[in-house]
Amino acid sequence: MVSRLEKQFLLPGQQSTSDGVQMKIQTVDLEQISAWKRGQFYFDGTDSKDVLEQLRRWYGIEIEYPDHYSPIPFYGIIDRTKSLKSVLYMLEKSGLKFSILSNGNHIKLLIEE
């Protein structure tokens, strides 16, 4: 942690975050950080809850988890221009179990154990 008044320089591959009092500098995966600029989802051992949260925001879907959900890691790069159906197919082949409820334009993903 760096105090607010202390100057620090970032090196390539670093990012800083601040809580308003202290600044934290950490090394980051530049491929993952910049994937959004290339129009991609980038998963490198990403927890399935984090993957699903990205999909929820991007595709505007609702997600429901069971009470005792054990997340699984995902690896891969998926183009954001893919349809939700295509992305869900890929995730299903990777081991995610779910069912889909659809009511008009409202889609709800029911995640299974």
Side-chain angles (χ1 to χ4, degrees):
M1 294 281 194
V2 178
S3 77
R4 194 171 184 191
L5 301 175
E6 188 178 337
K7 288 184 181 179
Q8 286 288 315
F9 294 95
L10 295 177
L11 300 173
Q14 291 182 326
Q15 80 175 12
S16 69
T17 55
S18 174
D19 62 7
V21 177
Q22 292 186 324
M23 182 173 61
K24 181 179 177 185
I25 297 175
Q26 58 191 19
T27 302
V28 294
D29 180 348
L30 294 178
E31 286 296 312
Q32 184 174 17
I33 298 295
S34 62
W36 68 272
K37 285 181 75 175
R38 294 186 308 274
Q40 300 171 324
F41 293 109
Y42 181 95
F43 307 126
D44 187 16
T46 308
D47 181 290
S48 55
K49 274 196 167 185
D50 292 334
V51 169
L52 291 165
E53 177 59 21
Q54 289 184 49
L55 298 180
R56 183 193 66 74
R57 288 192 313 263
W58 186 255
Y59 293 101
I61 61 175
E62 186 179 345
I63 300 173
E64 186 176 301
Y65 298 94
D67 290 336
H68 302 290
Y69 177 65
S70 300
I72 58 176
F74 281 100
Y75 298 86
I77 297 171
I78 301 172
D79 194 309
R80 288 180 186 244
T81 61
K82 297 271 186 212
S83 69
L84 175 60
K85 182 178 179 178
S86 296
V87 173
L88 292 177
Y89 176 78
M90 287 182 239
L91 295 179
E92 186 175 44
K93 290 297 179 190
S94 297
L96 185 68
K97 300 203 182 319
F98 58 87
S99 55
I100 301 170
L101 293 177
S102 180
N103 184 5
N105 288 334
H106 182 80
I107 298 172
K108 184 174 189 176
L109 208 59
L110 303 171
I111 306 303
E112 300 169 5
E113 226 4 90

